[in-house]
Amino acid sequence: MAQFFSLHPELPQPRLIRQAAEIMRAGGLVAFPTDSAYALGGVTGDSDLLQRIRRIRAVDERHHFTLMCRDLSEIATYARVDNAQYRLLKAVTPGPYTFILEGTKELPRRVLHPKRKTIGLRIPEHAVVAALLQELDEPILTSTLLLPDEDLPLTDPEEIRERLEKQVELVIEAGYCGPEATTVIDLTSGAPVLVRAGRGDLAPFGLEND
């Protein structure tokens, strides 16, 4: 049975943040709000985490997972970022964007795309996620909480608890969380390539939504 924490959206309670981090460190899978949609996440080193998320979402090993990071220096630890990419990331983070980049050897191979050796990275603009990242002192491995045969991610924490109560260890509620996922930009070829239009504005990349 999943636990359920109600956190203040701007000033999350430190006691509950510590407890949520402890659940993640123990291998727990957590559903939590972000600056875009709800996400499923846990600590990167847990080998069972990927399979659990894949089962819930019904995706295969080619699905790109996303590392939520505290800041640009953390992104640069886990992904290869050149000067131009760094300037672009600095201009639009934190915010509702996910960037596909080539992973570094700091990451376990199992979290990378099997052929491209890439991973999604992002810095969310959300107080609860920022507090969790600070408490964990490491990135959170995540995927959008989009269930099979659904068009939009789940947004109601009570519904999430009802539908996933035996598949996650914790559901976090922290006020309104919309259904729109992040904008996904592939930066591996140099020029930005739109993978998925979402909540993030395309203008900083000189892109348009088809």
Side-chain angles (χ1 to χ4, degrees):
M1 182 85 59
Q3 296 189 63
F4 190 90
F5 291 175
S6 290
L7 276 71
H8 191 283
E10 296 176 5
L11 298 169
Q13 302 91 313
R15 175 180 60 84
L16 294 178
I17 288 293
R18 285 193 297 271
Q19 290 179 17
E22 288 168 6
I23 289 170
M24 283 188 172
R25 289 193 191 102
L29 181 57
V30 179
F32 59 95
T34 74
D35 54 348
S36 54
Y38 258 86
L40 292 167
V43 294
T44 308
D46 192 286
S47 58
D48 293 331
L49 190 74
L50 293 175
Q51 295 306 322
R52 294 180 65 191
I53 294 175
R54 284 177 181 140
R55 281 196 298 270
I56 291 171
R57 291 212 46 197
V59 296
D60 62 22
E61 70 276 1
R62 292 167 296 179
H63 173 75
H64 264 116
F65 284 86
T66 296
L67 275 188
M68 286 189 183
C69 299
R70 281 177 291 186
D71 51 35
L72 284 175
S73 63
E74 199 163 66
I75 281 185
T77 299
Y78 298 102
R80 302 184 191 282
V81 181
D82 64 26
N83 290 337
Q85 291 168 334
Y86 188 90
R87 287 193 296 271
L88 184 57
L89 293 172
K90 186 175 182 180
V92 297
T93 58
Y97 296 99
T98 298
F99 299 97
I100 305 299
L101 290 161
E102 183 182 351
T104 68
K105 293 181 179 179
E106 296 293 323
L107 288 172
R109 288 175 62 88
R110 63 178 176 271
V111 308
L112 300 173
H113 188 280
K115 290 186 177 179
R116 300 182 61 201
K117 308 305 178 191
T118 49
I119 191 165
L121 294 111
R122 87 181 198 91
I123 305 172
E125 191 171 19
H126 194 284
V128 170
V129 184
L132 259 178
L133 288 167
Q134 189 66 35
E135 181 65 30
L136 285 167
D137 196 29
E138 63 176 298
I140 302 173
L141 186 68
T142 70
S143 184
T144 302
L145 209 176
L146 180 63
L147 298 184
D149 302 319
E150 299 274 353
D151 294 326
L152 294 171
L154 297 183
T155 61
D156 180 354
E158 293 287 354
E159 182 186 1
I160 293 169
R161 175 164 64 168
E162 181 179 328
R163 295 179 66 174
L164 298 180
E165 65 176 354
K166 294 182 180 179
Q167 298 179 74
V168 302
E169 278 67 44
L170 172 63
V171 177
I172 293 176
E173 180 274 327
Y176 175 77
C177 180
E180 196 170 12
T182 59
T183 292
V184 180
I185 305 289
D186 190 329
L187 294 178
T188 55
S189 62
V193 175
L194 179 63
V195 177
R196 178 184 71 197
R199 187 163 174 264
D201 185 13
L202 297 178
F205 309 96
L207 298 170
E208 294 182 359
N209 192 4
D210 293 335

